[in-house]
Amino acid sequence: MTIAGRRTRPRGRPELHTSYASELALFDTRGKRVAVAGLLAVALCLPFLLTDEWLQLLALCCVAAIGAIGLGLVTGYAGQVSLGHAFFLAVGAYTAAAISGDPDGRVIGFGVTNIAVWLPAAGLLAGLAGILVAPLATRLRGLYLAIVTLGLVFIGQHVFSEWSALTGGAGVGRPAATLEFFGQPIAATGPLGTRDQKLYWLMLLLLLGFALAAANLARSKVGRAFTAIRDRDIAAGVIGVNLARYKTIAFAVSSAYAGCAGALLYTITGFFDPGSFSLLLSVQYIAMVLIGGAGTISGAIAGAFFITLLPRFTRELQAWVPFLSAQPNEVPNVFQVETILYGVLLVVFLIFEPRGLFGIWVRVRNYWKTWPFSY
């Protein structure tokens, strides 16, 4: 409702919109705007409060969140289950590494180290790979589509293991893409900060850009078509939604996000090999989307941070559970616990909170909004 040109909104009714402008707003309440501004302020100040080890881990979280947002668009918004995210991450990682690689090195390299070139190229090539897969999505759905996309992971593992001129070969690998912007190193220790501080700020800014783009896409005509297909694709087709077109767009955008995430992911560690893109990586991204909350951008980000930080905390279990070993060749070890936790968390969230961490936040918010009459 509007009074004297000023938009008003009933308090305590977050899902009630009284105008199109309110429904389409990115942050439709003052509380959301204040909360986002506060989170951004804290995030930008973290490099002055945390050690470089934690900043490197948080940079990884930001990159993982970009990939999770992409998977969330195709799985959470469009309802197309994809288990092949590791394949698209690999396409992006090898595209970026090949473009910025040393032309005189032992693996393929073209010597273009500008991030403004190799990052869009990685997203573009991964997006094209997604378009090639998309025709399958128009003919299959549910479990059948999941199995087909799962096959991409195994095909990719075989191709990348055998194509040693590009990948360096299994167990050997190759250097990741170089972080430079028009000849200036982006992540190098200098007067403005350490390498890890700059890496963290760079990945945080990129995450904000990708998240805003995805949020705007979700609010657009394309995003509404995704939601219609997810909720009931036959009904969506009846009302005029072009299923083939929008499923193709969903796979292309999701794959482009995965390609960009893959290109950035190994610039933090500096090295990677074909074994990095296994089925476990796809499972981790599915876990990020499901545990964070499918169908929400903030849920995908929360899930990515949760899953990426989980190994750091499981490694601390050894101090509390002495019989757990930190050596991977001894049984039981913390790495086995970590793998089991992924499965357990997926089962627990799907049974008790299908909306994930985002659903828990909604419950907490509604509890305090209706307190003391919360029941």
Side-chain angles (χ1 to χ4, degrees):
M1 83 188 55
T2 303
I3 298 176
R6 183 167 59 91
R7 190 175 67 243
T8 62
R9 185 173 181 184
R11 294 178 63 83
R13 304 289 298 276
E15 301 299 328
L16 177 60
H17 298 281
T18 56
S19 67
Y20 285 116
S22 169
E23 186 180 8
L24 292 175
L26 192 59
F27 304 111
D28 57 344
T29 64
R30 184 182 177 187
K32 286 182 183 177
R33 290 190 287 273
V34 171
V36 170
L39 278 175
L40 278 178
V42 171
L44 289 172
C45 293
L46 282 180
F48 304 109
L49 305 172
L50 299 177
T51 63
D52 284 353
E53 180 193 1
W54 276 102
L55 292 177
Q56 192 176 97
L57 189 57
L58 290 176
L60 275 174
C61 292
C62 293
V63 178
I66 294 172
I69 290 171
L71 184 60
L73 286 174
V74 73
T75 299
Y77 280 94
Q80 307 301 301
V81 181
S82 173
L83 295 177
H85 217 53
F87 172 77
F88 300 113
L89 286 162
V91 171
Y94 283 117
T95 301
I99 291 175
S100 71
D102 183 2
D104 300 321
R106 59 182 176 80
V107 288
I108 295 174
F110 298 101
V112 183
T113 54
N114 194 337
I115 188 174
V117 175
W118 58 254
L119 183 59
L124 184 63
L125 201 63
L128 289 174
I131 290 175
L132 293 177
V133 176
L136 297 172
T138 62
R139 293 171 171 79
L140 302 172
R141 59 182 176 179
L143 181 61
Y144 299 103
L145 178 59
I147 296 298
V148 168
T149 53
L150 178 62
L152 286 176
V153 177
F154 297 114
I155 293 171
Q157 274 191 306
H158 177 73
V159 171
F160 293 132
S161 297
E162 297 297 322
W163 195 359
S164 56
L166 173 68
T167 66
V172 181
R174 67 170 295 159
T178 305
L179 282 172
E180 284 186 5
F181 187 65
F182 291 102
Q184 298 298 318
I186 299 176
T189 300
L192 297 178
T194 66
R195 174 184 181 273
D196 293 314
Q197 285 176 325
K198 292 179 180 178
L199 263 179
Y200 168 75
W201 276 319
L202 172 67
M203 300 310 173
L204 179 64
L205 290 175
L206 288 171
L207 170 60
L208 289 175
F210 279 101
L212 282 173
N216 281 309
L217 179 70
R219 297 184 306 141
S220 68
K221 171 187 171 183
V222 175
R224 291 177 186 275
F226 287 174
T227 307
I229 293 171
R230 177 195 64 193
D231 291 344
R232 183 64 67 182
D233 57 350
I234 295 176
V238 169
I239 63 174
V241 175
N242 188 327
L243 299 184
R245 178 185 175 192
Y246 286 108
K247 286 183 179 180
T248 302
I249 292 174
F251 266 95
V253 175
S254 169
S255 306
Y257 268 68
C260 292
L264 294 168
L265 191 60
Y266 298 99
T267 58
I268 299 171
T269 55
F271 213 81
F272 65 105
D273 75 339
S276 306
F277 306 100
S278 63
L279 177 60
L280 178 61
L281 188 61
S282 283
V283 172
Q284 285 175 333
Y285 273 89
I286 285 288
M288 290 175 192
V289 173
L290 293 180
I291 290 174
T296 61
I297 303 299
S298 53
I301 295 173
F305 274 72
F306 182 84
I307 293 297
T308 308
L309 292 174
L310 186 63
R312 181 67 177 79
F313 292 111
T314 54
R315 308 285 160 82
E316 302 295 330
L317 280 177
Q318 195 189 13
W320 302 91
V321 188
F323 62 84
L324 280 179
S325 172
Q327 302 300 322
N329 56 349
E330 295 179 3
V331 180
N333 59 59
V334 290
F335 304 101
Q336 292 171 323
V337 173
E338 181 184 314
T339 305
I340 292 170
L341 267 179
Y342 290 135
V344 171
L345 287 170
L346 278 174
V347 172
V348 168
F349 271 92
L350 285 175
I351 292 176
F352 296 104
E353 186 48 270
R355 293 182 299 172
L357 295 174
F358 180 79
I360 293 175
W361 156 245
V362 171
R363 284 188 189 209
V364 172
R365 182 190 64 187
N366 290 341
Y367 177 86
W368 288 109
K369 275 183 177 294
T370 56
W371 191 86
F373 304 107
S374 309
Y375 52 87

